[in-house]
């Protein structure tokens, strides 16, 4: 059983390995995550992403570590409008903390001991002056001193390192054009780097595995406006960990700046990062610029995905077998539902122009997605196409889904009601039921 589960999981993840290879991910590792027992596993998983050909920029924060160091030194952390005020004494400690974390993370990514996930890994970890900072200055009479924000990103420099398969590591300290150093937030750096690099994803970690509903269920997907409303509620109620608030703020800015997807996963759950990226539905929350699912016309590039979807149904005798060559000729008839680059549903509208009717055919939805009315969505879209073409009716042949079609308004008809071309091709051995919908 264990072998079967391993093989099944490996096969299921393979399309995502192919989809993610060559993409750029910005991983925001907050200081809260670094303090957790699972930190070592997170670093191992980041290294695994790098080994799979994913370009990684790792941005680390140090908020709790800095507060702890300040407390031990007898210095009280000072904030204005939720932004740290970094005076001279604080900044000396902050630079020490940030530098120590940089060395620790680099050491973890350099590990290649036998009998560990890092065995044989040879990862170049590159840190440098990729971020140019500027001071926050004075706000409402409060001088932020050494607290700063991103002024410029050396995009070309980062890309050169990523092209050579290195992991670019960035901390919360950045230099300015005047030769000074400033304390920035990890979320500011991660957001601006993701936007300027045109990253494919930004990933963050929190105590819980995402944004939750009142009943505790994790919300799988949010649009930026929805995430903004939740952020305001969490901030008002003070009911979220700092990492969650920081990530939400960053994700809203990043998605509005052109980053397609931002993922929030748990730093407590072992392997959460891999489960989020390499399983069909993930386990965290995505903030996205558009829905993860798209309904669109099929192209020749979708042949492989459609074949993977319909072959099991053909083997069960639920669909008439179609060859790759036939699909290539008929691809313009197909509409599909795509999720994260994978075809999870398809249907076709075959034209019979002489009789001014169309055939609704080859409806297939992936088994993992059959509970969300995607078949109805495809049917609705096909009917809309037929109406736009001013067809008189749409018909369908089925051996199993008779009641489903009747529920959608179709009526049972006979072979004699088929278009003449289709009537000649009717398979009397299959004895498919024929249903039609008048438009």
């Amino acid at each position: 059983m264990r072998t079967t589960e391993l093989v099944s999981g490996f096969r299921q993840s393979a399309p995502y390995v192919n989809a993610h290879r060559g993409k750029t991910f910005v991983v925001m590792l907050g200081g809260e995550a670094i303090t957790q027992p699972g930190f070592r596993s997170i670093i191992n998983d980041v290294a695994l992403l790098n080994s799979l050909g994913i370009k990684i920029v790792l941005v680390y924060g140090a908020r709790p570590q800095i507060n702890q160091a300040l407390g031990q030194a007898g210095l009280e952390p000072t904030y204005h409008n939720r932004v740290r005020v970094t005076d001279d004494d604080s900044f000396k400690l902050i630079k020490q903390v940030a530098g120590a974390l940089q060395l620790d993370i680099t050491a973890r990514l350099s590990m290649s001991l036998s009998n560990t996930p890092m065995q044989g890994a040879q990862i170049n970890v590159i840190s440098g002056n990729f971020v140019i900072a500027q001071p926050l200055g004075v706000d409402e009479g409060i001088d932020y001193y050494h607290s700063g924000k991103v002024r410029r990103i050396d995009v070309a420099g980062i890309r050169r390192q990523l092209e050579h398969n290195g992991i670019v590591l960035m901390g919360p300290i950045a230099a300015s054009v005047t030769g000074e150093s400033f304390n920035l937030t990890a979320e500011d750096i991660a957001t601006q780097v993701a936007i300027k690099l045109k990253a494919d994803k930004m990933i963050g970690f929190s105590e819980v595995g995402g944004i939750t509903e009142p009943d505790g269920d994790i919300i799988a997907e949010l649009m930026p406006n929805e995430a903004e409303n939740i952020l305001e509620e969490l901030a008002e109620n003070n009911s979220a960990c700092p990492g969650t608030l920081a990530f939400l703020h960053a994700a809203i800015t990043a998605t509005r700046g052109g980053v397609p997807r931002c993922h929030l996963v748990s730093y407590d759950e072992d392997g959460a990062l891999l489960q989020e990226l390499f399983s069909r539905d993930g386990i965290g929350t995505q903030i996205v610029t558009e829905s993860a699912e798209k309904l669109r016309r099929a192209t020749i590039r979708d042949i492989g995905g459609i074949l993977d979807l319909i072959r099991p149904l053909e083997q069960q005798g639920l669909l008439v077998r179609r060859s790759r060559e036939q699909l290539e000729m008929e691809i313009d008839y197909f509409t599909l539902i795509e999720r994260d680059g994978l075809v999870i549903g398809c249907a076709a509208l075959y034209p019979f122009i002489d009789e001014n009717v169309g055939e609704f055919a080859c409806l297939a939805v992936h088994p993992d997605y059959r509970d969300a009315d995607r078949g109805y969505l495809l049917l609705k879209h096909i009917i809309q196409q037929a109406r736009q073409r001013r067809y008189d009716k749409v018909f369908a042949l089925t051996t199993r889904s008779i009641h489903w079609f009747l529920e959608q308004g179709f009526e049972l008809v006979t072979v004699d009601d088929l278009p003449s071309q289709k009537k000649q091709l009717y398979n009397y051995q299959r004895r498919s039921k024929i249903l039609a919908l008048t438009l």
Side-chain angles (χ1 to χ4, degrees), residues 58-61 98 102 127-128 131 169-174 184-186 189:
L58 181 59
V59 182
Y60 69 90
Q102 177 181 325
S127 300
V131 176
L169 178 63
M170 297 180 177
I173 307 298
L184 285 67
T185 64
I189 295 174

Side-chain angles (χ1 to χ4, degrees), residues 206-254:
S206 73
E207 183 177 358
V208 293
I211 309 302
T212 56
E213 300 271 16
D215 60 5
D217 290 340
I218 291 177
I219 302 172
E221 184 178 288
L222 290 169
M223 297 295 186
N225 289 345
E226 296 172 321
E228 192 169 45
N229 293 334
I230 290 175
L231 176 61
E232 291 175 359
E233 292 176 8
L234 294 175
E236 288 177 5
N237 300 331
N238 197 26
S239 57
C241 67
T244 299
L245 295 175
F247 176 81
L248 270 178
H249 188 273
I252 292 164
T253 304

Side-chain angles (χ1 to χ4, degrees), residues 122-420:
Q122 293 182 342
I123 299 172
N124 290 322
V125 182
I126 302 98
S127 300
N129 58 340
F130 298 114
V131 176
I132 301 300
Q134 63 183 6
L136 288 176
V138 179
D139 179 39
E140 297 177 344
I142 303 297
D143 192 340
Y144 285 106
Y145 296 104
H146 300 285
S147 293
K149 62 181 179 180
V150 173
R151 177 181 182 181
R152 189 168 66 245
I153 305 289
D154 181 8
V155 173
I158 296 172
R159 283 181 176 156
R160 277 196 299 272
Q161 304 304 326
L162 295 177
E163 289 300 327
H164 287 88
N165 203 36
I167 291 180
V168 175
L169 178 63
M170 297 180 177
I173 307 298
S176 71
V177 293
T178 62
E180 300 172 276
S181 296
F182 290 93
N183 177 32
L184 285 67
T185 64
E187 51 267 27
D188 182 28
I189 295 174
T191 301
Q192 295 306 315
V193 168
I195 292 172
K196 299 301 181 185
L197 276 181
K198 301 186 187 318
D200 299 281
K201 293 181 185 293
M202 186 172 76
I203 301 165
F205 296 86
S206 73
E207 183 177 358
V208 293
I211 309 302
T212 56
E213 300 271 16
D215 60 5
D217 290 340
I218 291 177
I219 302 172
E221 184 178 288
L222 290 169
M223 297 295 186
N225 289 345
E226 296 172 321
E228 192 169 45
N229 293 334
I230 290 175
L231 176 61
E232 291 175 359
E233 292 176 8
L234 294 175
E236 288 177 5
N237 300 331
N238 197 26
S239 57
C241 67
T244 299
L245 295 175
F247 176 81
L248 270 178
H249 188 273
I252 292 164
T253 304
T255 50
R256 287 175 174 166
V259 179
R261 302 190 191 288
C262 297
H263 301 254
L264 181 63
V265 295
S266 170
Y267 53 61
D268 275 339
E269 184 169 352
D270 186 30
L273 174 61
L274 301 182
Q275 291 184 67
E276 174 70 6
L277 294 175
F278 296 102
S279 62
R280 288 193 180 95
D281 292 319
I283 60 170
T285 296
Q286 292 187 68
I287 290 84
V288 299
T289 52
E290 58 183 67
S291 175
E293 293 188 11
K294 299 177 183 177
L295 182 71
R296 62 174 177 82
R297 296 290 293 274
T299 70
I300 200 72
R301 294 189 298 273
D302 299 311
I303 294 292
I306 294 174
L307 284 172
D308 289 343
L309 189 64
I310 67 176
R311 280 293 182 254
L313 298 177
E314 292 174 349
Q315 292 167 1
Q316 296 172 41
L318 301 179
L319 290 178
V320 176
R321 186 171 180 83
R322 289 169 172 81
S323 66
R324 176 178 283 272
E325 292 75 16
Q326 182 181 355
L327 270 178
E328 289 176 355
M329 291 187 294
E330 299 174 348
I331 193 63
D332 289 340
Y333 301 153
F334 278 77
T335 296
L336 56 82
I337 298 175
E338 178 188 59
R339 182 181 179 88
D340 290 332
L342 301 176
V343 178
I344 65 166
C346 70
L349 176 61
Y350 287 90
F352 293 86
I353 298 175
D354 291 343
E355 284 90 348
N356 202 38
V357 299
E359 179 186 7
F360 176 70
C362 202
L363 173 64
V365 177
H366 192 281
D368 291 346
Y369 296 93
R370 288 179 185 163
D371 296 330
D373 293 328
R374 291 177 178 87
Y376 171 74
L377 181 64
L378 285 163
L379 174 61
K380 184 178 177 181
H381 187 78
I382 293 294
I383 290 172
Q384 184 180 359
Q385 285 185 31
R387 285 190 169 127
Q388 289 173 347
R389 298 176 189 179
R390 300 189 181 279
Y391 288 167
D392 293 329
K393 64 180 179 179
V394 172
F395 69 90
L397 276 66
T398 182
T399 57
R400 300 281 184 88
S401 304
I402 303 164
H403 284 194
W404 183 79
F405 279 103
L406 291 173
E407 289 172 358
Q408 313 310 321
F410 282 71
E411 296 180 350
L412 285 165
V413 295
T414 67
V415 176
D416 292 335
D417 295 306
L418 290 172
S420 56

